[in-house]
Amino acid sequence: MKLLTPSLLALTLMLGAPLAQAQESETLGDQAKVELQRNPDYACTQCHKKEDEAMHGKHAKATNPNNLGPVTCTNCHGKPSPRHREGVKDVMDFQDKSMPLDQKNGVCLSCHEPKPLREAFWAHDVHATKLACTNCHELHVAKEPMVGIDSKARIGLCVDCHGKQHAAKLANEAEASGKEAP
């Protein structure tokens, strides 16, 4: 009986192996056709759940021209380190003034080419080395306020921004000279 059991086991394995291999190859064949279902932004959205941090609008529906996949958090913000939750600044924060301008705009320009931007509106070219794209554009909103803005509203934005710059310059000059700003 002791000899019979190993023999039966060996026979079962030999006869069952081709059947198992056939089933496995069918399963593997189906799996090869299945696309990855895990949300690539899952780890990010576990902490960044607020509605204003969620990705909406154009970027949420866009295709990344660099990899032809959907735009993900890490495409723009980079991949966080294991110490990210401890407050380590290891991803691109477009609102952080300490982040270098060329790095911020470099992220945007990795997908948005300068020539079409310049053709769409001359200010893209003029401001690209002085302002971050996010000074004017919002990233995660359902409707980007700058898209479809009429020329009168654009002029208003120019006047508002340059007016603030001028007032700040006067205040700085007045402070430096010890006088009160006008």
Side-chain angles (χ1 to χ4, degrees), residues 1-154:
M1 181 76 170
K2 287 183 182 181
L3 186 58
L4 185 59
T5 304
S7 298
L8 280 174
L9 180 61
L11 184 60
T12 305
L13 288 174
M14 287 188 323
L15 292 175
L19 179 61
Q21 286 175 342
Q23 288 175 339
E24 187 178 3
S25 66
E26 285 178 16
T27 305
L28 289 175
D30 290 343
Q31 286 178 349
K33 296 175 188 174
V34 175
E35 290 184 33
L36 182 63
Q37 297 296 308
R38 183 171 185 263
N39 179 348
D41 295 332
Y42 179 80
C44 303
T45 58
Q46 292 310 293
C47 294
H48 301 278
K49 293 180 181 180
K50 290 190 231 168
E51 187 65 23
D52 60 336
E53 293 176 336
M55 186 140 59
H56 302 288
K58 189 173 186 176
H59 287 117
K61 298 173 188 96
T63 298
N64 182 332
N66 300 307
N67 63 16
L68 302 179
V71 173
T72 65
C73 299
T74 56
N75 289 151
C76 300
H77 296 283
K79 190 171 180 170
S81 72
R83 296 190 57 216
H84 180 72
R85 290 184 179 184
E86 298 169 21
V88 174
K89 290 188 175 190
D90 56 359
V91 295
M92 177 59 69
D93 178 353
F94 291 94
Q95 304 308 317
D96 184 348
K97 295 191 187 309
S98 70
M99 292 277 182
L101 177 68
D102 62 331
Q103 287 182 17
K104 288 181 187 181
N105 287 353
V107 171
C108 300
L109 294 173
S110 71
C111 292
H112 300 277
E113 295 184 27
K115 187 175 185 243
L117 291 173
R118 187 173 37 255
E119 290 170 356
F121 184 49
W122 62 269
H124 287 120
D125 201 35
V126 173
H127 293 101
T129 59
K130 297 176 183 158
L131 294 173
C133 300
T134 54
N135 281 68
C136 298
H137 297 279
E138 294 181 37
L139 303 176
H140 297 164
V141 295
K143 185 175 184 317
E144 163 62 57
M146 296 302 284
V147 173
I149 191 170
D150 66 18
S151 60
K152 187 175 180 179
R154 275 194 185 145

